[in-house]
Amino acid sequence: MTQTTRHWWQSATVYQIYPRSFADSNGDGIGDIPGIIGKLDYLRELGIGVIWLSPICASPMRDNGYDIADYQAIAPMFGTLDDFDRLVAEAKARGIGILLDLVVNHTSDQHRWFLDARSSRESRYRDYYVWRDPAPDGGLPNDIQSTFGGPAWTLDPVTGQYWFHQFAPEQPDLNWGNPELRADIYRMMNWWLDRGIAGFRMDVINLIAKEPDRGITADGPKLHDYIQEMHRETLAGRDVMTVGESWSATPATALLYSGRDRAELSMVFQFEHVMQQWHETWGKWQPKPFDLVALKRVIGRWQTALADDGWNSLFWGNHDLPRAVSKYGDDKRYRVESARMLATVLHLLKGTPYVYQGEEIGMTNVPFSSIEQYRDIETLNMHRLHLEAGLPEADFITGANENGRDNSRTPMQWNDAAHAGFTTGTPWIEANPNYERINVAAAEADPESILAHYRRLIALRRTLPLVIDGRYTPWLEAHPEVFAYTRTLGTQSLLVIANFTARDVTIDIPAALRGDWQPLLDAAPALLRERATLAPFEVITGLADRSF
Ligand code: GLC
Ligand code: CA
């Protein structure tokens, strides 16, 4: 990629905020927009250029806002439209753009379109949703399952038809085949864009073109027609960034969304590296042992496939995933070392890095012991289904503590005051008890903290074009304990060699990598000989006038 075609979001780092859990300004136990405004200076110092806000629109909060009841109103618990406009302006004054979460595969069942649609088959909004007659025997139209467990169809007794929902029944799927629905969505998007937002993160965008009669949920035949139309009607001519969530994306389909000749999205969130860790049948509730070779293979494939066209998103965590340091590192003995190592490996790849709130201080998974402590609709549903299937509860809790969505949703840990300084009231979900040690105030006081390391990495991306544009070359691909790669731009290269284990690991250094490397971050200059020994979770980085 040449300089001239570079977009602003290719050198930016994005920070994801889960508003409910970030900062509570009024003591009701729920994070809010004024709370976020109060932390903007913290985010500016971190160096990020974009905030992705998980949904803030009016919602009954069955799925914490991923069930929107009014696309043009702010949920009162989060604040007002004035608060939002102030957030956009205050963020902008600090060089930070705001990405909204566009949840348009489905609405809440409390959205006025759905309330009207279910009132009668003649409603003008009936066709905004997906309705089907019962099967001849009166049963479900077909056997498609919802992501949160149970059938994807629920019978409406008033009108005698089933509605389709890929998530909870309270999240009815929108019918993108209806042009009026699409026009309403585009009008709404333009209304937000005109308020000065920096773009959208698009929730499960790969699902919008479902064709349930053909058993198609993801990647329907019309998907890219719809996204191209959306682009024409809303994004075209605006310098915004967009990232589409697609659990089904492969490197080939990622180019359909983000290739340079495709007027669609800036990039997608891809999940192959996440799912590679899951059980074939039981998914995330029965995690597989960590396999570094497989992880490297997936990441390397994406780096290579999108080297010259398209663009990668880079992330270890988000609000649906466990804490990065717990999943890929060692959240006990080597929490600081492994969190720093993971950050280095991710942030020096090619793409736009995303930091999930709390990751920058090494927040960990929660040690919940009872189902009463969980709040997440998916976890609670799956718990019920597992018990109904006769599986032991203890196994479920183990799986939930490892991979459940509440791991990332506990309050942001600001300091060692009660509830981690998140609220003066009672938080909607318990804080992780380790907040007394792991918090922003402690990290700010320590120049070797994970936070300090994130600040350096994010700043480096802004100053060293090699980090943005450099070509990725993998090394030691079959090594089960070490992740190694170089990035090259012109005659300059950077090097990353990371130990993913809690043991000393001695490796043979490939001949081409031997010799002197200048310091890249805070490290000392490295002289690589035939062999090197890395301490637990150590990462060697360096910069040199070489080309690979
Ligand atoms: C996405 C969101 C997730 C939500 C789901 C339904 O996967 O990230 O949090 O539950 O879509 O909207
Ligand atoms: Ca609040």
Side-chain angles (χ1 to χ4, degrees), residues 23-33 77-78 423:
D24 174 22
S25 71
N26 62 354
D28 68 354
I30 299 169
D32 46 54
I33 296 171
M77 67 172 66
F78 293 149
T423 180

Side-chain angles (χ1 to χ4, degrees), residues 515-536:
D516 284 316
W517 291 86
Q518 297 310 306
L520 180 60
L521 289 152
D522 46 344
L527 171 60
L528 292 182
R529 302 176 195 278
E530 288 76 22
R531 287 166 82 70
T533 298
L534 288 96

Side-chain angles (χ1 to χ4, degrees), residues 77-125:
M77 67 172 66
F78 293 149
T80 63
L81 205 50
D82 281 348
D83 291 330
F84 178 76
D85 288 339
R86 202 153 52 84
L87 171 64
V88 171
E90 295 272 340
K92 194 166 192 182
R94 292 165 177 82
I96 297 173
I98 302 286
L99 283 196
L100 282 188
D101 212 315
L102 184 76
V103 188
V104 291
N105 173 65
H106 46 269
T107 67
S108 159
D109 65 345
Q110 300 304 306
H111 194 288
R112 66 181 174 84
W113 295 338
F114 191 72
L115 293 173
D116 200 283
R118 71 185 296 183
S119 69
S120 137
R121 291 199 190 196
E122 272 65 61
S123 158
R124 66 170 282 222
Y125 294 109

Side-chain angles (χ1 to χ4, degrees), residues 16 18 52 54-55 63 65-67 101 103 105-106 147-148 167-168 171 201 203-204 207 245 247 271 318-320 376-378 405 409:
Q16 184 190 353
Y18 198 65
W52 152 27
S54 276
D63 190 16
Y66 285 93
D67 48 332
D101 212 315
V103 188
N105 173 65
H106 46 269
T147 298
F148 291 163
F167 296 90
Q171 293 167 296
R201 176 265 186 185
D203 194 61
V204 289
L207 304 184
E245 183 197 25
W247 284 78
F271 292 88
N318 68 28
H319 66 292
D320 294 327
D376 169 33
I377 181 173
E378 181 191 41
R405 305 199 299 178
R409 299 178 180 185

Side-chain angles (χ1 to χ4, degrees), residues 213-261:
D213 303 321
R214 299 166 63 195
I216 296 174
T217 52
D219 304 305
K222 295 246 174 72
L223 175 63
H224 293 283
D225 291 345
Y226 294 151
I227 302 177
Q228 280 163 25
E229 179 185 77
M230 172 194 278
H231 187 279
R232 272 197 308 279
E233 299 296 324
T234 65
L235 307 168
R238 304 190 196 246
D239 191 13
V240 293
M241 82 170 264
T242 50
V243 49
E245 183 197 25
S246 174
W247 284 78
S248 56
T250 62
T253 65
L255 283 170
L256 298 179
Y257 294 99
S258 67
R260 86 169 71 77
D261 298 328

Side-chain angles (χ1 to χ4, degrees), residues 335-447:
R335 190 184 63 89
V336 173
E337 293 82 352
S338 62
R340 289 171 42 135
M341 179 281 284
L342 288 167
T344 305
V345 168
L346 192 82
H347 283 245
L348 297 182
L349 289 169
K350 185 168 183 178
T352 296
Y354 290 73
V355 179
Y356 180 71
Q357 66 182 39
E359 177 187 321
E360 76 279 18
I361 54 166
M363 278 178 63
T364 67
N365 279 357
V366 271
F368 285 162
S369 53
S370 150
I371 193 67
E372 311 291 316
Q373 293 169 292
Y374 293 92
R375 298 287 177 271
D376 169 33
I377 181 173
E378 181 191 41
T379 307
L380 300 179
N381 283 349
M382 289 299 172
H383 174 255
R384 188 170 38 75
L385 293 174
H386 270 66
L387 294 197
E388 280 169 17
L391 298 168
E393 171 155 41
D395 286 3
F396 181 80
I397 300 283
T398 305
N401 278 345
E402 196 163 322
N403 270 334
R405 305 199 299 178
D406 280 337
N407 284 307
S408 53
R409 299 178 180 185
T410 60
M412 176 71 185
Q413 294 168 201
W414 294 105
N415 54 46
D416 62 3
H419 310 302
F422 160 73
T423 180
T424 54
T426 306
W428 68 277
I429 186 170
E430 284 170 51
N432 192 318
N434 64 21
Y435 73 79
E436 293 183 3
R437 262 181 321 118
I438 303 171
N439 59 62
V440 170
E444 286 191 315
D446 174 5

Side-chain angles (χ1 to χ4, degrees), residues 160-176:
Q161 284 188 311
Y162 285 86
W163 76 82
F164 183 65
H165 52 86
Q166 302 194 62
F167 296 90
E170 296 87 349
Q171 293 167 296
D173 266 58
L174 287 165
N175 172 21
W176 275 71

Side-chain angles (χ1 to χ4, degrees), residues 303 350 465-472 487-489:
Q303 287 287 304
K350 185 168 183 178
L466 172 54
V467 177
I468 304 164
D469 300 322
R471 181 174 63 248
Y472 173 85
R487 303 275 313 282
T488 302
L489 184 65

